[in-house]
Amino acid sequence: MGNFNTSSQESFILVGFSDWPQLQVFLFVIILIFYSLTIFGNTTIIILARLDLRLHKPMYFFLSHLSFLDLCYTTSTVPQLLINLYGLDRTISYGGCVAQLFIFLALASTECLILVAMAFDRYAAVCHPLHYTSIMHPILCRALAISSWVGGLVNSLIQTGLVMAMRLCGHQINHFFCEMPIFLKLACEDTGGTEVKMFVARTIVLVCPAVLILGSYVHIAKAVLKVKSMAGRRKAFGTCGSHLMVVSLFYGSGIYTYLQPVHKYSESKGKFVALFYTIVTPMFNPLIYTLRNKEVKGALWKMLGRGTDSG
């Protein structure tokens, strides 16, 4: 019916979960709770990493970036979903859809790369403890963070540009936000060439980081098994285990959605899988890192103690 360049007055209809009306109230309540916990938990981590001197370390520098990313890319999709579930408005303008697609892809791609930086930090801490401070120099940490953000933006620009160049048939999006696989299904033309280009970009952003992370943890596991102290092993496995939990949730759902062929993509299943990387993972990140980390818990109790004393 036209592409993104035709008419800014036209809009898309987000079907969301209207196919399951009996679930909408339940999903609204659960998602609202999860979103509130995401905002509270990730904001708390950012504040703690900023204010507590004990958390001025590379691990928490990257963790604060991860929390900021989770805050932003969850906010890019969840408010629209809540409005959709409440039945107030199911439409989104072409411009709004492009903006949502670009922002979500940029932030999600950046998170993929930030998780690699976090894995490298744990590798340096466990495998090269004597040289850790010299390896994870503040300049390198900032360079890794900046590279992750630039890489995410470039990937999003490429993929969003490819989508905007396609002619689309129809204005009904069978999803709760503007996501890439849905646009490929809406295309009026053969998308074979576009899919190949996107697959290459997704492999670089999803598969390569996942392989690097797994490789770093293989080395970490070998190093930890050489530690004679059981307490030392437990501490190392505990810290790294929390990171692996985040990686498994995020990459597992992301790879399922973005690396399967478009003709095999199920829109109904895709909506529920998308809930994991848009809502569940961002909510669990602060819980995993605070409940399994003595330094973060100590900083939290210290901040709460100060608040109580000052009150």
Side-chain angles (χ1 to χ4, degrees):
M1 302 268 309
N3 57 35
F4 286 111
N5 299 318
T6 55
S7 173
S8 59
Q9 301 301 315
E10 296 190 57
S11 60
F12 286 117
I13 297 172
L14 293 169
V15 174
F17 294 95
S18 58
D19 292 339
W20 296 276
Q22 69 279 10
L23 287 178
Q24 290 196 112
V25 174
F26 172 76
L27 285 172
F28 179 86
V29 173
I30 294 297
I31 290 168
L32 180 60
I33 292 171
F34 274 37
Y35 182 54
S36 301
L37 290 173
T38 299
I39 297 296
F40 175 77
N42 285 291
T43 302
T44 300
I45 285 181
I46 293 170
I47 293 171
L48 289 175
R50 180 91 177 167
L51 298 181
D52 197 294
L53 293 176
R54 292 174 297 178
L55 302 185
H56 287 185
K57 300 176 182 178
M59 176 180 174
Y60 303 108
F61 170 77
F62 293 121
L63 180 55
S64 63
H65 276 268
L66 180 66
S67 293
F68 181 72
L69 284 164
D70 285 341
L71 278 175
C72 292
Y73 91 75
T74 302
T75 301
S76 73
T77 58
V78 174
Q80 177 81 44
L81 171 58
L82 291 173
I83 292 171
N84 187 312
L85 287 171
Y86 201 70
L88 296 176
D89 187 12
R90 298 187 189 278
T91 62
I92 184 170
S93 67
Y94 276 120
C97 206
V98 173
Q100 187 181 62
L101 177 67
F102 173 77
I103 292 168
F104 180 81
L105 278 176
L107 295 170
S109 302
T110 302
E111 179 155 336
C112 288
L113 301 175
I114 283 289
L115 288 170
V116 177
M118 294 177 74
F120 178 71
D121 171 67
R122 291 300 85 205
Y123 165 78
V126 175
C127 298
H128 303 282
L130 298 179
H131 303 285
Y132 176 70
T133 53
S134 59
I135 294 173
M136 298 307 295
H137 192 274
I139 294 176
L140 176 62
C141 292
R142 285 192 289 270
L144 289 172
I146 292 170
S147 300
S148 298
W149 281 95
V150 171
L153 287 170
V154 169
N155 177 63
S156 183
L157 277 171
I158 292 170
Q159 298 208 49
T160 305
L162 289 171
V163 167
M164 291 181 69
M166 295 189 306
R167 292 183 63 251
L168 303 178
C169 294
H171 299 282
Q172 186 166 288
I173 296 177
N174 191 10
H175 210 298
F176 60 84
F177 74 102
C178 299
E179 191 168 34
M180 186 65 70
I182 301 298
F183 286 114
L184 292 172
K185 289 221 164 200
L186 285 175
C188 303
E189 57 199 41
D190 178 39
T191 60
T194 301
E195 285 185 57
V196 170
K197 294 171 187 175
M198 288 184 175
F199 184 82
V200 171
R202 293 168 187 174
T203 300
I204 294 170
V205 172
L206 272 171
V207 178
C208 292
V211 170
L212 289 172
I213 290 170
L214 288 175
S216 68
Y217 278 100
V218 168
H219 288 287
I220 288 171
K222 290 179 180 178
V224 170
L225 290 174
K226 294 178 182 178
V227 176
K228 295 180 180 180
S229 167
M230 284 300 295
R233 286 188 188 182
R234 197 175 295 113
K235 181 179 179 182
F237 275 126
T239 303
C240 298
S242 62
H243 185 196
L244 279 175
M245 288 174 68
V246 173
V247 168
S248 299
L249 282 170
F250 185 75
Y251 278 96
S253 54
I255 286 173
Y256 172 84
T257 299
Y258 286 95
L259 289 187
Q260 62 175 308
V262 174
H263 67 275
K264 291 185 178 180
Y265 178 78
S266 168
E267 295 169 333
S268 298
K269 290 180 182 177
K271 285 185 271 193
F272 287 97
V273 172
L275 290 174
F276 277 93
Y277 53 82
T278 57
I279 296 167
V280 177
T281 303
M283 190 272 293
F284 273 122
N285 280 349
L287 291 177
I288 289 171
Y289 281 104
T290 54
L291 293 178
R292 298 182 62 88
N293 191 299
K294 290 181 180 180
E295 289 179 316
V296 175
K297 285 191 287 187
L300 179 60
W301 286 119
K302 182 180 177 182
M303 186 178 73
L304 293 174
R306 283 178 177 176
T308 304
D309 294 339
S310 62

